[in-house]
Amino acid sequence: MNKTYAIIGCLSILAAGSLAGCGLTGSVRARADAAKVTFGVAVQPGDVLDPGTKKFIARNFNLIVPENTMKWKLLRPTKAFWNWSDMDKLVDFAEENGIAMKGHTFVWHQQNPPYVDGLKNRDEAAALLTEQITTVMTRYRGRIREYDVANEVLNEDGSMRNTVWLRTIGPEYLDIAFRTAREADPGARLILNDYNNEYAGQAKADAFYELVKALKGRGVPIDGVGLQLHLMAKYPLNGDALKKTIARFRDLGLFVSFSEVDVRIELPVTAEKEAAQAAIYEGLLGIAKSEAGAGNFVLWGYTDAKSWIPAAFAGYGSALPFDREGKPKPVFKSMGKILSTR
Ligand code: G3I
């Protein structure tokens, strides 16, 4: 076979989820399972309506997380109306395919409906937050493995972000949220998620660690932390600082999830920039696979066609391992290889 056709054959086999045509055996998901790595992806409701995409997800990933569906504004746009149908479809799909499900997210400062952003007093806010968490986690009890209970609660300097929850309840809104979540589904793993918190020694990462340590110290039920890892290809991965972060959370008895991974490229894409991007993806997955207490690697989407990056960062794109046509980039093959090595 000519080399070009061999590569195309290999890539289309990868898209279908198997590595056999690339000299490797088993689907990417099977390799992740064997390596005991949670290899997840953020999805949208339409993904589980399309037969091809359903198959693709089920063959490549062993965890899904709704990119937006569970956020307050989408799940409960008015106080009286719960839009369960999209969430139910995702949970059903995960269950039917033996895929773990993650919930994202209860406490956030974005994508809240007006009746949440407009909360004025402590009792009302605490009651509404408690009701939201209890209602969702009771409905899906035993079916959703873990939840980002709270998301992005810190500013860059490490102070608490000025949100409706901080203003109405005070910093103990976190205690309320995590305790309520534990009560609603005692089997679910509870996570505090944030960004720019991956490198020990940086202000926000250190403050994030101190916050989590303090929560643990006062008995708040938290099981893990999320490092979102929305990275840029032009800044190489600092594996040592990342490993320090993992180690200090491990010492607190917490697991670390790489929870929203993507690596954006400053356009135009060049071979050099793609190589830098690949090095970051490979480095991260290698660390997720080898470091005790890590083991969770979740892509924030799979295809550039639906990535949040171009809308949020002008001049950047090509952040995910599948291109705009849904074809795998070479980096996806490397990721499959990393999952398959002992
Ligand atoms: O729901 C409306 C729809 O009614 C309207 O017609 C449409 C028109 O643009 O917008 C829809 O809302 C969009 C929403 O996603 C749901 O699809 C928003 O415009 C859009 O800004 C929003 O973006 C999401 C963003 O969170 C919201 O802040 C991204 O898809 C999602 O990837 C992103 O994810 C966050 C994580 O939750 C937390 N960490 C950072 C990450 C990136 O911002």
Side-chain angles (χ1 to χ4, degrees), residues 54-301:
K54 276 166 84 167
K55 203 167 161 189
F56 160 81
I57 291 171
R59 296 201 61 186
N60 284 292
F61 301 100
N62 55 20
L63 176 140
I64 59 167
V65 54
E67 185 171 346
N68 291 299
T69 309
M70 209 196 90
K71 291 172 184 170
W72 205 310
K73 194 176 184 178
L74 283 88
L75 182 61
R76 193 182 180 188
T78 69
K79 205 168 176 183
F81 173 58
W82 292 84
N83 176 20
W84 292 116
S85 86
D86 287 342
M87 252 324 260
D88 284 352
K89 281 189 197 92
L90 294 177
V91 175
D92 288 347
F93 166 77
E95 203 163 65
E96 281 156 16
N97 290 280
I99 294 172
M101 178 84 194
K102 176 177 180 176
H104 169 87
T105 175
F106 294 118
V107 171
W108 199 25
H109 59 285
Q110 288 186 30
Q111 280 177 291
N112 287 325
Y115 68 88
V116 171
D117 280 336
L119 282 164
K120 289 280 178 288
N121 78 64
R122 189 183 200 284
D123 288 351
E124 261 181 31
L128 190 64
L129 181 59
T130 304
E131 182 191 43
Q132 183 78 4
I133 293 172
T134 305
T135 306
V136 175
M137 292 186 69
T138 304
R139 181 180 183 94
Y140 298 120
R141 187 181 289 149
R143 302 178 71 200
I144 294 189
R145 183 172 85 180
E146 63 198 34
Y147 286 86
D148 288 333
V149 174
N151 189 41
E152 301 171 7
V153 304
L154 293 182
N155 293 312
E156 288 308 289
D157 66 1
S159 56
M160 292 293 287
R161 190 189 288 274
N162 180 5
T163 67
V164 65
W165 307 114
L166 187 72
R167 288 192 298 276
T168 52
I169 302 176
E172 65 273 24
Y173 73 81
L174 283 174
D175 305 45
I176 294 172
F178 278 89
R179 288 188 200 287
T180 303
R182 178 67 91 226
E183 214 171 293
D185 183 354
R189 307 200 298 177
L190 309 180
I191 298 169
L192 182 66
N193 194 46
D194 215 322
Y195 61 89
N196 284 351
N197 56 350
E198 62 270 21
Y199 293 147
Q202 292 190 349
K204 186 172 176 186
D206 290 352
F208 181 77
Y209 169 73
E210 291 302 333
L211 171 66
V212 172
K213 190 174 163 196
L215 290 172
K216 268 294 264 188
R218 59 178 188 264
V220 174
I222 174 169
D223 304 302
V225 295
L227 316 179
Q228 294 183 6
L229 293 160
H230 294 293
L231 300 179
M232 284 191 255
K234 64 182 164 191
Y235 300 125
L237 187 67
N238 182 346
D240 289 341
L242 178 57
K243 286 179 192 168
K244 273 190 197 138
T245 294
I246 295 167
R248 66 185 178 181
F249 284 116
R250 187 171 61 222
D251 292 346
L252 289 181
L254 299 178
F255 74 91
V256 171
S257 173
F258 298 171
S259 57
E260 301 184 12
V261 182
D262 53 27
V263 184
R264 58 189 181 270
I265 289 179
E266 191 168 8
L267 302 172
V269 175
T270 63
E272 204 179 327
K273 292 176 190 174
E274 275 198 324
Q277 180 193 49
I280 294 173
Y281 268 121
E282 289 159 21
L284 281 177
L285 189 56
I287 290 173
K289 182 163 175 262
S290 62
E291 289 297 297
N296 295 271
F297 181 104
V298 182
L299 286 169
W300 205 240

